Amino acid sequence: MAKSRIAWLLAAAAWCGRGVALSLHGRTQRRTMTMADGRRVAIVTGATRGIGKGIALELGRAGYAVHAVGRSSRSDPDRDVSAEMGEYRRLPADEELTVERTAEQVDALGGRGAARVCDCGVEGAVEAMVADVVAAEGRLDVLVCSAYAVPSQKLRDDFWKQGMAMWDAVNGVGLRAVYASCLAAAPPMIETAQKHADATPLIALVSSFGGKSYTFNVAYGVGKAAVDRRADIKSSTRLQWHFHRLIATQVDRLAGDMALQLKKHGVATTALYPGLVRTEANLEMVDMGTWDEASGGLDLAVGETPAFSGRGLVALLGLPQADLLARSGNVEVIAELADEFGFDDVDGARPCSIRSLRYLLPNFVFPQVEKEAGKPVPAWIRDNVPDVLLPWSVFSAGPPPEPAD
């Protein structure tokens, strides 16, 4: 299989794993809260479902006061999220995915949950929400940016055919609102670091392998490259070929460049890379029959749960201050954090990193070999693939090859 094809499939898998929230309501609202009680405080956007919710719940399990931010709320029972997602994706009809429900689950896990209805795509809404949290709590230890607007149209098409609607959907909440969140959160996080000697505030941006490779379209690639920049890895020419002239190199520097300025103030940043994630929407896509086309035929049954990302973030937050600041600005792959810190997913499994040979060969290479050879790969090969990580450069590729006529 061609390298560019492998890279594209891996990046596509990462996008399908994201499963984060749609754009949020144009208001900020909170349920009755306990006054500040000494807990460390986290804000999680996109916390009604998917990876954002998984992170919120694991922070609750770790004892944090978690402010679950999202659009879906019991205050708007007539809203049809699945209809907003278009014909390709939907949410389960029998599961409550609201900020109130997430807050209740945080409480049940030993944390303190607070529900906040907020449209991250509305000018000023994020700033008001962060100010309200800080006023109530007196500190801010963690900001997790996981809110993202899922386009209702197909992602795979020429950019000039998609119009500005695609750009606005992908980069309005997924990029501009992330930046706005960081702007609002940085000052109170610096203040928290100054007032509490044992605190190392962390800004965590939920990204994907789409930041390393062309995936579906120009707008998507730009947005993903913008929310993560590994300070010690230079963007390759192949990664940038399709949009370098459009936005120049600064679009993939958010996490890394914030780290350069925040480190001296005792605040860390990171970009998180989940793998293939069994989010509510992805599981529904399997039932709809749209999963194979969207993912490239990947087996969702062997994917990660949203909680796995939360456990990775909690592991990072458990590091000593010097160690966390030393990693600030890095891309952190959740599956690789699991190997480093020794945690498993909720079912006891430990999924491989998407860039591991143990994941890559069975999912992408062996099927192509079997198709071309007309016979299966021997079991002694299939069952003994080493867990060796491929370099990041393998993901820095152009689009998949055009199908043969």
Side-chain angles (χ1 to χ4, degrees), residues 352-364:
C352 293
S353 170
I354 275 184
R355 66 185 183 117
S356 169
L357 286 178
R358 186 172 292 172
Y359 184 90
L360 171 64
L361 295 184
N363 284 285
F364 303 114

Side-chain angles (χ1 to χ4, degrees), residues 8-348:
W8 175 81
L9 285 170
L10 292 175
W15 174 81
C16 290
R18 179 137 191 195
V20 293
L22 290 166
S23 60
L24 314 173
H25 271 309
R27 65 187 187 280
T28 302
Q29 177 179 312
R30 62 187 173 119
R31 68 189 181 114
T32 302
M33 298 180 193
T34 305
M35 295 299 292
D37 53 8
R39 295 177 187 264
R40 297 195 177 189
V41 178
I43 293 174
V44 183
T45 69
T48 59
R49 56 189 171 90
I51 294 169
K53 180 170 185 176
I55 290 175
L57 297 186
E58 289 302 312
L59 286 171
R61 192 188 304 275
Y64 280 74
V66 181
H67 292 257
V69 179
R71 178 180 179 181
S72 298
S73 170
R74 292 170 184 166
S75 64
D76 189 10
D78 296 329
R79 178 173 174 245
D80 187 347
V81 179
S82 291
E84 297 173 6
M85 298 175 74
E87 61 182 297
Y88 306 106
R89 295 166 68 87
R90 71 184 182 197
L91 294 177
D94 59 349
E95 187 172 352
E96 183 186 346
L97 301 173
T98 65
V99 288
E100 292 87 357
R101 180 57 181 154
T102 298
E104 290 169 351
Q105 290 174 298
V106 167
D107 288 341
L109 290 169
R112 173 162 57 80
R116 291 188 175 271
V117 183
C118 174
D119 187 340
C120 292
V122 169
E123 194 73 22
V126 168
E127 293 85 346
M129 177 271 294
V130 172
D132 197 21
V133 170
V134 175
E137 300 285 1
R139 64 186 294 167
L140 181 57
D141 298 87
V142 181
L143 170 67
V144 179
C145 295
S146 188
Y148 187 75
V150 179
S152 59
Q153 63 196 106
K154 280 190 174 181
L155 286 176
R156 300 176 190 171
D157 206 348
D158 296 322
F159 73 90
W160 61 88
K161 298 177 182 177
Q162 295 176 320
M164 287 305 298
M166 176 60 71
W167 176 274
D168 291 341
V170 171
N171 295 316
V173 174
L175 180 54
R176 191 177 191 281
V178 168
Y179 190 66
S181 299
C182 295
L183 287 178
M189 296 181 92
I190 292 172
E191 185 176 351
T192 297
Q194 293 171 341
K195 288 184 176 180
H196 303 275
D198 62 339
T200 309
L202 176 66
I203 296 175
L205 310 181
V206 177
S207 188
S208 80
F209 285 94
K212 299 295 183 185
S213 171
Y214 182 97
T215 308
F216 295 107
N217 58 54
V218 175
Y220 180 81
V222 169
K224 289 297 180 289
V227 298
D228 58 59
R229 174 179 180 259
R230 187 168 175 143
D232 59 341
I233 297 180
K234 295 181 179 179
S235 301
S236 74
T237 301
R238 294 195 71 193
L239 171 62
Q240 296 184 4
W241 72 272
H242 206 19
F243 52 82
H244 175 78
R245 293 181 183 271
L246 179 64
I247 52 170
T249 58
Q250 69 265 27
V251 298
D252 63 350
R253 294 183 175 177
L254 185 52
D257 284 4
M258 283 195 305
L260 295 176
Q261 296 189 357
L262 288 172
K263 184 176 181 180
K264 62 185 177 184
H265 298 290
V267 178
T269 70
T270 189
L272 299 177
Y273 274 23
L276 183 66
V277 184
R278 302 198 300 268
T279 64
E280 301 89 352
N282 287 346
L283 291 170
E284 285 295 303
M285 289 175 72
V286 173
D287 292 340
M288 293 172 66
T290 59
W291 172 254
D292 285 346
E293 178 185 359
S295 70
L298 298 177
D299 183 4
L300 189 59
V302 300
E304 306 167 3
T305 70
F308 198 49
S309 292
R311 293 182 176 187
L313 179 59
V314 169
L316 282 176
L317 290 167
L319 287 172
Q321 183 179 59
D323 293 344
L324 182 55
L325 288 173
R327 302 171 75 129
S328 186
N330 283 0
V331 164
E332 301 284 3
V333 178
I334 299 300
E336 294 168 27
L337 290 176
D339 288 336
E340 179 179 355
F341 293 103
F343 63 86
D344 297 322
D345 209 339
V346 295
D347 58 1

Side-chain angles (χ1 to χ4, degrees), residues 358-398:
R358 186 172 292 172
Y359 184 90
L360 171 64
L361 295 184
N363 284 285
F364 303 114
V365 177
F366 290 167
Q368 184 69 15
V369 170
E370 292 174 343
K371 181 179 179 180
E372 295 177 358
K375 57 183 179 180
V377 172
W380 65 270
I381 296 178
R382 180 177 291 276
D383 296 340
N384 291 283
V385 178
D387 189 10
V388 175
L389 299 178
L390 296 182
W392 282 112
S393 59
V394 76
F395 300 103
S396 300

